[in-house]
C-alpha cells in the first residue's frame, strides 16, 4: 500500500469495495417478471411507423453531406418490412409524404391544444414584434398573448438590449433562455398567474436526455422579478454563472416531489456556480446549490420544502431573515462543505423529518450562526471533522440532538438556548467553548471518545449536577 | 454492449432485454451500492431502473448510447430510493456489512474505515460522480451527460469529492493531538 498517494489508496478502496458487489439476481429476476406484464412506452409517432411497416426498426441518420437512412428489420420481421433496407439515399417518397402529413396534423393539433398565451415550439411566428417597439435606451418590451410586442419570452429576450425592461403579462410562457446582458424581466400582475415553464419534450425526446434550464444567467446583472418559474423533472430553474443578478419576489416551484441532485428529478431551484446574486423576497421549493466562487445573498427567502447546499472554498453565502421548513433534501436543510463558509442570521430552520438543520461537514468548512432558531429533526447542527462553527444568540430545540460535534476544529456556543433530547453531543478530538448558554435537555451532555467540554459558566434548567450525570452510559 | 441486442429489446424482445439485464446487472449494482452504500437499497434501485429501461427503451434514439442511458435511469432510481428510504438510511448507514479481513488486508483497514466514513459524508451527487468516473472508468464529460449536469459541474463535484476523501485519509495519517486541557468529561455512571 502506497501510504503517500491518497488517490491510489482511494482507488484501491473503491475497487475493492465495489468489486465485491454481487450480481443483483433478485433485482434482475424481479424486473424481468415485471417487464413480462408491463407494456413498453412507444413514441407518439409509433402509429405512423406501424403503418409504414417500420415497427421494431432503428433509423440512423448519416452526415449532412451524405444523407443516409438505414432501416433494419427487427428480429420478428417488423410487419411487412423484411426486405426494407436502403443506404446512401434519402427515405422513399412515401415516407416523406407521410411524415409531412403527420407533422402538419401534429402542428395543427399542438396549436389547438396549447392555445394562445403559450409559446410554441420553434415559434418562428413569434420572433418579430407584433407592434412597433419604442426606440432609444431603457425600452419597455411587453410580452403578452394578445396586445404585447411579443407573444414569446424568448423573442423578447433576443430583442432586448442592456437596460431594457421586459414586462410579462399574465399567462404561461414556455421558454429556456440564456441571458448574457443586463436586462430586467418583470411580471406585471399576480405573480401566480405569470408562469414561465419548461419547453415540452420534443418528439422522441425522453425526460432525462438533457438538463432543462429556464434561465441561464451568464455574467449578467439581470433582474427577474415578480413571476413564477415552474419546472418539471430534470430541470434547474435558474443557473447563475457570474455577475450580480437579482431575483426578487419570484416563486420557483418545480412540479412533483423534490429530491436533491437526482438527474431526472426536479432537482434545483437555483444553481449558483459563480457570481454574487441577491435573492430577495422569494419562495424556493427545491434545492439551491451554491458552488465554489459564489457569494450570494438571500434576504427574506422561504425555502419550503427547499434546502441549500454550499460547497467549495470560494462559496460564501449570506442569509438573513430566511426560513427553511421541512426540507425534503435527504440529510439536511442546509449543508456547508469543502471549505465553504455560511453566514446566517435572524432566520429559522424547522424540520419534522430526520434531517440535520445545518450540517457543516468537513475540513475548513465554517458557519457563523446568530439570532437563528433551529428546531426538530435528528440534530439541529452537525459539525464534522475539521469544521468551525460559531453558534451565538441562537436556539437549538426539539431535535434528537441539539448540536452534534464530531472532531470539529472549533465550536463556540454563546448566549444560546439548547433544548432537545440530548443537548450537546461531542466525540473525537473537538475543541469547544460554551458560555452563557441555557441547557434544558433530557440529557444535556453526551461526551464520547474522550471528548472535552468546558461546561462553566452556563445555566441548566434542572439541577446542573443531575444534568451532567445524564450523559451517555448513565 | 451489443447494439443488436438493444435494438431487439427496443422492439419488445424480452429475451434480449433479459440479456441486457444480466450483462449489465453487476456494474449497475456496483454503481447503486456506491451511491446508496446499502446493498438492499441498491438492489431495489437496480430493479426499478431495469423496469424503467424496459418501459422507455423504445424511446432511446441511439442504441449505442444504451449503457450511459441506463446509468442515467439507475442514478435517478437511486435518488428515488434514497428519498423513499430516507429514514431507514439513517439507521442502516450506521451498520457496516463487510467480508472478514484477511491478513493481507490489514494495511488497508485503516484506510477502509476512514474512506468509508468519508464516502458516507459525500452527498449522493458526489458519490455518483466518483463511482462513475473512478470505478466505471467513464470520462467526466460522459458522466456529465449521464447525470444531466454541465461538464464543469461534474468536474467540480469530482474534485471536491476527491478532496474530501483525501482529507479523510490525511486526518487518519495525522498524529493524535494533545488534550485540550479543559476536559470535564465525566465517567459514565453505571458503566462497567
Amino acid at each position: 500500500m502506497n501510504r503517500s498517494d491518497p488517490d491510489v489508496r482511494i482507488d484501491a478502496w473503491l475497487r475493492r469495495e465495489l468489486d465485491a458487489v454481487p450480481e443483483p439476481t433478485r433485482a434482475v429476476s424481479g424486473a424481468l417478471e415485471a417487464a413480462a406484464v408491463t407494456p413498453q412506452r412507444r413514441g407518439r409517432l409509433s402509429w405512423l411507423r406501424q403503418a409504414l411497416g417500420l415497427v421494431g426498426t432503428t433509423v440512423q441518420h448519416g452526415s449532412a453531406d451524405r444523407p443516409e437512412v438505414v432501416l433494419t428489420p427487427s428480429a420478428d420481421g417488423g410487419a411487412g418490412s423484411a426486405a426494407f433496407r436502403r443506404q446512401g439515399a434519402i427515405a422513399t417518397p412515401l415516407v416523406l409524404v407521410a411524415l409531412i402529413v403527420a407533422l402538419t396534423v401534429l402542428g395543427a393539433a399542438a396549436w389547438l391544444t396549447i392555445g394562445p398565451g403559450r409559446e410554441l415550439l420553434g415559434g418562428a411566428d413569434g420572433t418579430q414584434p407584433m407592434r412597433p417597439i419604442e426606440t432609444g435606451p431603457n425600452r419597455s418590451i411587453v410580452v403578452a398573448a394578445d396586445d404585447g410586442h411579443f407573444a414569446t419570452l424568448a423573442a423578447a429576450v433576443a430583442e432586448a438590449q442592456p437596460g431594457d425592461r421586459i414586462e410579462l403579462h399574465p399567462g404561461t410562457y414556455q421558454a429556456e433562455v440564456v441571458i448574457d446582458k443586463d436586462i430586467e424581466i418583470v411580471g406585471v400582475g399576480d405573480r401566480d398567474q405569470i408562469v414561465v415553464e419548461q419547453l415540452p419534450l420534443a418528439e422522441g425526446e425522453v425526460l432525462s436526455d438533457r438538463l432543462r434550464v429556464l434561465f441561464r444567467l451568464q455574467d449578467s446583472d439581470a433582474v427577474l422579478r415578480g413571476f413564477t418559474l415552474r419546472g418539471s423533472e430534470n430541470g434547474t430553474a435558474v443557473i447563475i454563472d457570474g455577475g450580480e443578478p437579482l431575483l426578487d419576489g419570484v416563486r420557483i416551484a418545480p412540479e412533483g416531489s423534490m429530491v436533491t441532485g437526482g438527474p431526472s428529478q426536479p432537482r434545483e431551484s437555483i444553481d449558483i456556480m459563480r457570481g454574487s446574486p441577491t435573492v430577495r423576497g422569494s419562495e424556493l421549493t427545491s434545492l439551491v446549490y451554491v458552488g465554489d466562487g459564489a457569494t450570494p445573498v438571500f434576504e427574506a427567502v422561504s425555502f419550503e420544502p427547499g434546502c441549500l447546499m454550499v460547497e467549495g472554498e470560494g462559496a460564501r453565502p449570506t442569509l438573513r431573515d430566511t426560513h427553511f421548513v421541512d426540507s425534503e433534501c435527504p440529510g439536511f436543510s442546509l449543508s456547508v462543505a469543502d471549505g465553504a463558509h455560511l453566514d446566517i442570521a435572524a432566520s429559522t430552520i424547522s424540520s419534522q423529518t430526520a434531517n440535520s438543520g445545518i450540517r457543516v461537514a468537513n475540513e475548513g468548512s465554517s458557519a457563523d450562526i446568530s439570532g437563528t432558531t433551529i428546531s426538530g429533526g435528528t440534530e439541529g447542527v452537525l459539525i464534522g471533522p475539521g469544521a468551525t462553527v460559531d453558534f451565538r444568540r441562537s436556539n437549538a430545540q426539539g431535535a434528537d440532538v441539539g448540536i452534534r460535534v464530531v472532531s470539529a476544529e472549533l465550536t463556540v456556543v454563546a448566549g444560546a438556548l439548547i433544548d432537545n433530547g440530548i443537548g450537546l453531543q461531542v466525540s473525537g478530538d473537538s475543541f469547544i467553548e460554551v458560555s452563557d448558554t441555557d441547557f434544558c435537555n433530557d440529557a444535556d451532555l453526551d461526551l464520547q471518545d474522550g471528548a472535552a467540554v468546558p461546561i462553566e459558566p452556563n445555566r441548566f434548567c434542572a439541577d446542573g449536577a443531575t444534568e451532567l450525570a445524564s450523559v451517555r452510559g448513565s | 454492449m451489443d447494439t443488436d441486442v438493444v435494438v431487439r429489446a427496443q422492439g419488445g424482445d424480452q429475451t434480449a432485454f433479459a440479456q441486457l439485464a444480466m450483462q449489465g446487472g453487476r456494474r449497475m449494482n456496483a454503481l447503486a451500492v456506491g451511491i446508496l452504500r446499502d446493498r438492499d437499497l441498491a438492489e431495489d434501485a437496480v430493479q426499478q431502473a431495469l423496469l424503467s429501461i424496459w418501459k422507455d427503451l423504445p424511446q432511446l434514439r441511439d442504441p449505442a448510447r444504451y449503457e450511459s442511458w441506463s446509468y442515467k435511469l439507475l442514478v435517478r432510481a437511486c435518488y428515488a430510493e434514497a428519498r423513499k428510504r430516507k429514514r431507514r438510511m439513517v439507521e442502516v448507514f450506521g451498520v457496516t456489512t463487510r467480508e472478514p479481513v484477511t491478513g493481507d488486508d490489514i494495511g488497508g483497514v485503516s484506510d477502509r474505515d476512514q474512506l468509508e466514513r468519508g464516502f458516507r459524508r459525500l452527498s449522493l451527487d458526489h458519490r455518483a460522480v466518483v463511482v462513475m468516473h473512478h470505478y466505471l472508468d467513464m470520462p467526466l464529460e460522459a458522466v456529465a451527460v449521464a447525470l444531466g449536469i454541465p461538464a464543469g459541474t461534474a468536474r467540480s463535484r469530482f474534485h471536491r469529492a476527491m478532496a474530501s476523501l483525501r482529507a479523510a485519509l490525511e486526518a487518519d495519517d495525522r498524529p493524535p493531538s494533545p488534550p485540550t486541557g479543559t476536559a470535564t468529561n465525566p465517567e459514565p455512571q453505571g458503566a462497567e
Side-chain angles (χ1 to χ4, degrees):
Chain A
M1 177 71 60
N2 180 0
R3 304 290 297 178
S4 64
D5 189 340
D7 285 6
V8 170
R9 292 154 67 186
I10 292 167
D11 187 69
W13 170 78
L14 193 60
R15 291 189 182 283
R16 188 167 55 240
E17 287 280 310
L18 298 184
D19 280 346
V21 173
E23 294 285 346
T25 50
R26 174 174 63 81
V28 170
S29 62
L32 293 180
E33 286 176 19
V37 295
T38 304
Q40 290 183 310
R41 295 190 186 107
R42 299 286 170 183
R44 279 170 284 175
L45 285 178
S46 60
W47 62 271
L48 176 61
R49 301 178 72 200
Q50 178 93 36
L52 295 173
L54 303 182
V55 175
T57 66
T58 179
V59 180
Q60 301 170 348
H61 299 277
S63 62
D65 59 341
R66 183 177 169 78
E68 176 184 60
V69 174
V70 180
L71 301 171
T72 307
S74 63
D76 58 4
S81 64
F84 198 92
R85 180 181 182 84
R86 293 179 181 226
Q87 292 193 31
I90 61 173
T92 64
L94 174 63
V95 173
L96 287 176
V97 169
L99 283 174
I100 290 168
V101 170
L103 289 174
T104 305
V105 171
L106 283 175
W111 171 253
L112 291 173
T113 302
I114 295 171
R118 297 168 71 101
E119 297 191 9
L120 292 176
L121 263 181
D125 57 327
T127 58
Q128 297 300 318
M130 296 187 291
R131 60 184 172 86
I133 303 173
E134 61 186 288
T135 58
N138 304 326
R139 301 173 299 170
S140 288
I141 300 172
V142 176
V143 179
D146 300 324
D147 56 351
H149 295 109
F150 294 96
T152 72
L153 176 59
V157 169
E159 167 66 25
Q161 300 298 316
D164 285 352
R165 169 190 171 105
I166 295 173
E167 296 181 356
L168 277 178
H169 284 228
T172 299
Y173 304 92
Q174 294 175 322
E176 296 174 16
V177 295
V178 176
I179 298 176
D180 56 1
K181 47 199 170 189
D182 300 343
I183 60 176
E184 193 173 358
I185 301 176
V186 182
V188 178
D190 182 351
R191 179 178 72 180
D192 293 338
Q193 301 301 318
I194 306 166
V195 178
V196 178
E197 66 180 16
Q198 291 161 340
L199 295 171
L201 290 175
E203 178 62 38
E205 186 178 28
V206 294
L207 200 56
S208 52
D209 270 356
R210 64 185 175 86
L211 182 70
R212 297 168 170 278
V213 182
L214 295 183
F215 291 93
R216 185 183 294 272
L217 307 182
Q218 190 74 46
D219 293 316
S220 167
D221 294 349
V223 175
L224 308 183
R225 175 177 288 133
F227 57 92
T228 296
L229 292 80
R230 188 164 64 201
S232 63
E233 293 185 358
N234 202 27
T236 295
V238 182
I239 287 181
I240 297 172
D241 189 5
E244 298 180 6
L246 168 65
L247 277 62
D248 186 12
V250 297
R251 172 174 165 76
I252 302 182
E255 289 181 334
S257 60
M258 189 277 295
V259 69
T260 61
S264 297
Q265 299 284 347
R267 49 191 298 279
E268 291 172 339
S269 291
I270 312 174
D271 184 344
I272 307 172
M273 300 164 67
R274 294 187 303 123
S276 304
T278 297
V279 183
R280 192 167 60 201
S282 296
E283 296 178 28
L284 311 176
T285 66
S286 63
L287 172 70
V288 173
Y289 180 84
V290 177
D292 207 348
T295 55
V297 174
F298 297 86
E299 296 174 344
V301 173
S302 166
F303 287 78
E304 183 178 3
C307 50
L308 183 67
M309 181 183 290
V310 188
E311 293 181 325
E313 292 181 4
R316 304 178 75 83
T318 300
L319 281 66
R320 296 286 182 272
D321 188 22
T322 290
H323 306 280
F324 296 78
V325 180
D326 287 341
S327 162
E328 288 188 5
C329 291
F332 60 87
S333 293
L334 215 160
S335 172
V336 184
D338 299 344
H341 176 78
L342 166 74
D343 185 346
I344 182 171
S347 297
T348 61
I349 300 170
S350 64
S351 174
Q352 301 305 314
T353 62
N355 286 335
S356 305
I358 300 178
R359 182 177 69 184
V360 186
N362 50 14
E363 188 80 27
S365 304
S366 58
D368 288 341
I369 304 166
S370 65
T372 292
T373 295
I374 304 169
S375 58
T378 304
E379 59 243 328
V381 184
L382 171 62
I383 308 168
T388 302
V389 166
D390 188 312
F391 188 84
R392 203 172 289 268
R393 299 184 308 282
S394 294
N395 302 334
Q397 57 193 39
D400 295 345
V401 178
I403 300 177
R404 175 174 289 156
V405 186
V406 183
S407 301
E409 190 72 19
L410 172 65
T411 301
V412 175
V413 179
L417 168 65
I418 313 292
D419 182 1
N420 306 273
I422 295 173
L424 187 57
Q425 185 180 71
V426 185
S427 61
D429 182 21
S430 301
F431 184 82
I432 303 178
E433 295 175 0
V434 187
S435 62
D436 191 27
T437 290
D438 293 313
F439 283 88
C440 300
N441 310 277
D442 297 340
D444 287 327
L445 296 175
D446 179 359
L447 305 181
Q448 303 174 358
D449 307 329
V453 176
I455 200 61
E456 302 292 346
N458 293 286
R459 293 177 294 276
F460 296 88
C461 291
D463 177 80
T466 302
E467 294 299 311
L468 282 173
S470 64
V471 297
R472 182 169 181 260
S474 63
Chain B
M1 193 64 67
D2 187 344
T3 54
D4 287 343
V5 179
V6 177
V7 171
R8 282 196 286 124
Q10 283 185 303
D13 183 337
Q14 299 216 358
T15 305
F17 174 63
Q19 193 176 339
L20 288 177
M22 286 185 282
Q23 280 180 356
R26 212 207 66 76
R27 281 168 70 84
M28 290 180 74
N29 204 26
L31 174 57
V33 169
I35 294 172
L36 292 167
R37 310 304 300 154
D38 180 277
R39 290 185 177 182
D40 287 337
L41 292 180
E43 282 227 30
D44 290 347
V46 169
Q47 182 168 331
Q48 285 305 316
L50 286 171
L51 189 55
S52 297
I53 287 169
W54 166 253
K55 287 193 288 190
D56 290 340
L57 202 48
Q59 299 177 41
L60 174 64
R61 284 170 294 180
D62 182 0
R65 288 184 53 216
Y66 169 79
E67 193 166 22
S68 170
W69 176 76
S70 68
Y71 292 151
K72 184 186 304 185
L73 297 187
L74 175 60
V75 174
R76 179 170 63 177
C78 286
Y79 277 96
E81 203 61 37
R83 183 168 175 275
K84 277 195 295 188
R85 308 291 177 86
K86 187 164 52 180
R87 289 178 181 275
R88 186 181 159 216
M89 283 169 66
V90 173
E91 298 163 10
V92 299
F93 271 24
V95 180
T96 306
T97 305
R98 299 194 174 286
E99 301 299 323
V101 176
T102 65
D104 294 339
D105 198 30
I106 295 297
V109 170
S110 175
D111 279 1
R112 191 188 66 187
D113 290 345
Q114 288 301 322
L115 287 168
E116 179 66 37
R117 278 195 285 269
F119 207 75
R120 283 180 183 159
R121 283 197 294 270
L122 298 179
S123 68
L124 301 188
D125 289 325
H126 288 79
R127 291 180 202 164
V129 172
V130 169
V131 175
M132 293 174 88
H133 183 58
H134 240 300
Y135 184 73
L136 298 180
D137 298 320
M138 294 172 65
L140 284 171
E141 288 72 19
V143 171
V145 170
L147 295 179
I149 58 177
T153 303
R155 279 193 291 274
S156 70
R157 285 182 184 175
F158 176 73
H159 291 303
R160 286 171 190 160
M162 292 301 290
S164 179
L165 292 173
R166 287 186 205 110
L169 283 175
E170 286 162 6
D172 187 46
D173 290 343
R174 280 203 298 262
S177 303
T180 53
T182 53
T184 57
N185 182 16
E187 289 296 325
Q189 295 185 7
E192 56 185 352

